């Protein structure tokens, strides 16, 4: 199956005198064109695993194997926009002038609901709008893989729900592969094709979510059963 294969990944950090084992024996297939969610509590190693997978850091052992060519974009927990550039400037920041297809950029900015704010600067946007701008920047790069680290964590309940819907729509349109980090079980159930449950630096279980994404109703019994199963796996 095409995608990214993680084989026996290990990562340690030296903190003062101590060697901290952050990831141990991580084996995971991240399938192409699907949404894979890393779910686990704070400090279990989700961000570290995402950074290794995206090539921002090197593992101490193990291998990251790409089956196909790939172009990776990141969306971090904070928007990380350039304050001196407006929405348009931020969204097109990673692109060379000759790469900028103005119609495509306008479409992306419209998709994230910022078409009225193309010339606005980050300080003139709400936190949620800034995060949507960061997502537009990732999409404008036309990545085959998007690494998203709790991108909606700072948003209110309603905006978060809207953004999840938008992400599913964009995903259906672009067919990009997504690795998505969250500690929200409901968010994982809303978005994922596959959930990798992490605990203390290991992947404790993988749960496939077979339901068609657009029709997901988390109050449906099948989802409640799945949630119960995940809660048991997370042991709380
Ligand atoms: N650069 C670093 N140097 C030292 N320790 C680090 C470094 N990055 C992460 N760690 C440690 O690795 C562990 C896992 O951190 P990581 O950021 O991957 O967790 P996380 O699952 O993303 O948590 P959260 O949900 O709070 O973001 C933590 O104990 C953290 O202190
Ligand atoms: Mg993190």
């Amino acid at each position: 199956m095409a995608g990214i294969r993680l084989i026996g990944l290990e990562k340690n950090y030296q903190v003062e005198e101590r060697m901290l084992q952050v990831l141990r024996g991580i084996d995971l297939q991240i399938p192409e064109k699907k949404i894979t969610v890393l779910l686990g509590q704070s400090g279990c190693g989700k961000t570290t695993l995402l950074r290794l997978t995206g090539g921002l850091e090197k593992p101490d052992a193990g291998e990251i194997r790409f089956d196909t060519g790939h172009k990776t974009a990141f969306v971090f927990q904070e928007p990380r926009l350039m304050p001196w550039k407006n929405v348009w400037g931020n969204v097109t920041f990673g692109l060379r002038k000759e790469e900028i297809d103005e119609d495509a950029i306008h479409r992306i900015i419209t998709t994230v609901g910022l078409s009225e704010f193309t010339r606005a600067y980050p300080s003139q946007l709400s936190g949620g709008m800034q995060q949507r701008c960061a997502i537009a920047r990732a999409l404008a790069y036309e990545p085959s893989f998007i690494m998203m680290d709790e991108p909606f964590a700072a948003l209110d309940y309603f905006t978060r729900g809207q953004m999840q819907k938008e992400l599913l729509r964009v995903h259906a349109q672009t067919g990009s592969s997504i690795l998505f980090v969250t500690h929200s079980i409901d968010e994982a159930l809303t978005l994922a094709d596959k959930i990798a449950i992490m605990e203390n630096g290991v992947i404790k279980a993988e749960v496939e979510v077979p339901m068609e994404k657009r029709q997901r109703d988390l109050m449906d019994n099948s989802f409640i059963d799945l949630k119960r199963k995940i809660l048991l796996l997370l042991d709380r």
Side-chain angles (χ1 to χ4, degrees):
M1 198 198 289
I4 305 177
R5 173 119 217 127
L6 310 180
I7 305 161
L9 289 190
E10 310 270 337
K11 183 74 184 174
N12 307 310
Y13 285 118
Q14 179 94 32
V15 182
E16 291 172 15
E17 303 293 276
R18 271 188 333 127
M19 186 64 104
L20 197 64
Q21 273 197 315
V22 178
L23 297 176
R24 292 172 289 146
I26 299 278
D27 288 309
L28 183 67
Q29 170 73 34
I30 303 165
E32 199 181 24
K33 300 191 193 307
K34 303 273 187 199
I35 302 181
T36 304
V37 170
L38 298 175
L39 174 70
Q41 66 171 289
S42 181
C44 73
K46 304 180 296 297
T47 295
T48 306
L49 184 53
L50 186 99
R51 291 172 58 81
L52 291 182
T53 308
L56 297 181
E57 271 182 82
K58 293 268 169 281
D60 293 315
E63 199 186 330
I64 299 159
R65 203 177 282 166
F66 287 87
D67 297 331
T68 47
H70 60 283
K71 203 173 156 189
T72 306
F74 286 85
V75 180
F76 298 98
Q77 190 164 343
E78 348 65 63
R80 302 193 186 183
L81 301 177
M82 277 146 302
W84 61 91
K85 285 188 181 288
N86 61 22
V87 166
W88 183 273
N90 271 287
V91 171
T92 56
F93 178 71
L95 308 174
R96 289 195 302 273
K97 262 218 166 63
E98 63 273 17
E99 281 178 330
I100 297 175
D101 171 347
E102 295 208 356
D103 289 344
I105 302 294
H106 273 298
R107 254 196 320 277
I108 289 166
I109 290 176
T110 304
T111 296
V112 299
L114 292 178
S115 55
E116 307 282 304
F117 296 88
T118 311
R119 303 284 157 211
Y121 288 85
S123 63
Q124 298 169 313
L125 304 174
S126 74
M129 292 158 91
Q130 291 180 31
Q131 190 59 311
R132 285 186 265 152
C133 183
I135 291 169
R137 178 179 54 191
L139 295 174
Y141 185 61
E142 297 189 342
S144 52
F145 254 98
I146 313 179
M147 308 285 165
M148 307 184 90
D149 193 355
E150 306 204 34
F152 308 146
L155 305 181
D156 66 273
Y157 175 84
F158 301 102
T159 312
R160 189 170 186 161
Q162 276 169 7
M163 290 302 294
Q164 290 165 351
K165 278 210 192 88
E166 263 165 40
L167 181 68
L168 289 175
R169 199 161 51 77
V170 167
H171 176 251
Q173 271 172 14
T174 60
S176 47
S177 318
I178 297 176
L179 184 60
F180 190 102
V181 165
T182 185
H183 52 244
S184 158
I185 299 177
D186 284 353
E187 185 160 77
L189 287 171
T190 303
L191 298 175
D193 293 293
K194 170 154 94 177
I195 302 173
I197 296 173
M198 289 188 71
E199 193 180 84
N200 270 332
V202 301
I203 291 179
K204 204 174 175 195
E206 288 180 38
V207 177
E208 300 284 338
V209 189
M211 296 79 155
E212 170 59 45
K213 277 199 274 257
R214 257 157 302 176
Q215 294 159 12
R216 286 185 182 179
D217 171 8
L218 297 195
M219 304 303 270
D220 189 88
N221 279 337
S222 56
F223 270 104
I224 292 172
D225 288 348
L226 208 49
K227 186 166 178 175
R228 191 174 291 124
K229 180 175 163 186
I230 291 171
L231 282 167
L232 281 172
L233 284 165
L234 287 167
D235 200 23
R236 59 192 51 239

